[in-house]
Amino acid sequence: MEFKDKVAIVTGGAQGIGKCIADEFRNAGAQVCVIDRQPGNHYVGDIASKEVMEAFAREVTGKYGRVDCIVNNALPLMRGIDECTFEEFQYAMTVGVTAPFYLVKLLKEHLSKGASIVNISSSRDRMSQPQTESYTAAKGGIAALTHALAVSLAGKARVNSISPGWIDNDYTVYKGADALQQPAGRVGNPLDIANMVLYLCSDKAGFITGENICIDGGMTRLMIYHNDNGWKLTY
């Protein structure tokens, strides 16, 4: 019960990685406040809306008076340069960068001593597939926002980010190339991310701030050349 009576916020916490993070906080004793577009027993709303963010912040602070942990996890839209409209790109940036910034701004004066903020980025903040510009730009933005906030909030809160690689929300066990392309030998699952979130929010991580931790089974460290380790480029 390491987080007993702590107040934790998780955006996008109704499904996938966010739900796992919220569940693990609850298992550790925390009071968890989730905001998500998906209907359910949580605050339902779109964090792309300034008014929704303000109302959510008022509800949390009105109920608890303080916040100990903020996890900015909500997923931005993924569209590529061939199809992504101006409005879609702007929406992705709002969900992925503006909303995390504004939520922290709204709650800054309510952060408890020793508070922790964890932003969920992606290994796509450093590598890309074609046609992923909106998502990749948002994830790169939140990674940079992390160290800026860590400096601005020095002495008030620690701020770190996590960059997940391939995470299977259904805990599927992959074999063959899908597993072996990660040096760790498997595809990740939501607990791999949730465990690090809770660690970064704990006193054990008290000397870690402004850091980005990539949890991808080592995939971004594997150098790939044509005809190396069975890899072949076809074109």
Side-chain angles (χ1 to χ4, degrees):
M1 302 295 286
E2 186 173 10
F3 291 90
K4 188 176 188 309
D5 298 327
K6 300 284 189 180
V7 179
I9 289 174
V10 183
T11 70
Q15 54 195 322
I17 292 173
K19 183 178 185 302
C20 184
I21 293 168
D23 288 345
E24 289 304 299
F25 267 123
R26 292 188 190 100
N27 292 340
Q31 301 292 326
V32 182
C33 305
V34 166
I35 181 170
D36 199 294
R37 292 174 60 186
Q38 178 175 301
N41 189 26
H42 52 263
Y43 194 98
V44 178
D46 188 344
I47 64 170
S49 165
K50 177 175 179 284
E51 292 73 24
V52 166
M53 295 285 282
E54 291 169 347
F56 175 65
R58 283 195 301 270
E59 178 166 305
V60 173
T61 56
K63 185 173 182 179
Y64 297 106
R66 73 182 201 283
V67 175
D68 300 284
C69 308
I70 301 174
V71 182
N72 288 304
N73 166 78
L75 198 65
L77 187 72
M78 184 184 286
R79 291 284 189 277
I81 193 167
D82 288 352
E83 297 182 355
C84 187
T85 66
F86 176 89
E87 291 77 15
E88 286 174 329
F89 191 88
Q90 192 171 49
Y91 181 77
M93 296 299 290
T94 300
V95 170
V97 183
T98 307
F101 164 78
Y102 195 51
L103 182 60
V104 172
K105 182 178 177 67
L106 289 170
L107 297 171
K108 183 167 67 76
E109 301 308 319
H110 298 275
L111 293 172
S112 301
K113 182 179 180 180
S116 178
I117 299 165
V118 179
N119 298 321
I120 305 301
S121 182
S122 168
S123 59
R124 292 171 189 268
D125 62 7
R126 67 205 67 192
M127 60 192 300
S128 294
Q129 289 176 300
Q131 302 302 319
T132 62
E133 278 77 11
S134 68
Y135 184 89
T136 299
K139 291 304 187 180
I142 200 169
L145 177 66
T146 295
H147 56 74
L149 286 173
V151 174
S152 294
L153 297 179
K156 183 178 285 288
R158 293 182 298 104
V159 188
N160 294 287
S161 62
I162 294 173
S163 292
W166 183 359
I167 303 296
D168 190 284
N169 291 328
D170 296 322
Y171 294 83
T172 305
V173 177
Y174 291 83
K175 296 182 179 179
D178 282 338
L180 296 176
Q181 65 184 336
Q182 279 93 196
R186 66 173 176 88
V187 170
N189 63 64
L191 270 174
D192 291 316
I193 309 305
N195 288 337
M196 180 55 73
V197 170
L198 265 67
Y199 172 73
L200 288 173
C201 289
S202 74
D203 293 339
K204 298 184 185 73
F207 199 53
I208 303 175
T209 192
E211 188 58 74
N212 173 272
I213 299 172
C214 186
I215 302 178
D216 70 342
M219 192 172 182
T220 54
R221 297 303 188 190
L222 177 62
M223 295 181 69
I224 298 175
Y225 292 89
H226 175 61
N227 278 334
D228 186 24
N229 292 321
W231 294 93
K232 292 184 181 295
L233 176 65
T234 57
Y235 59 94

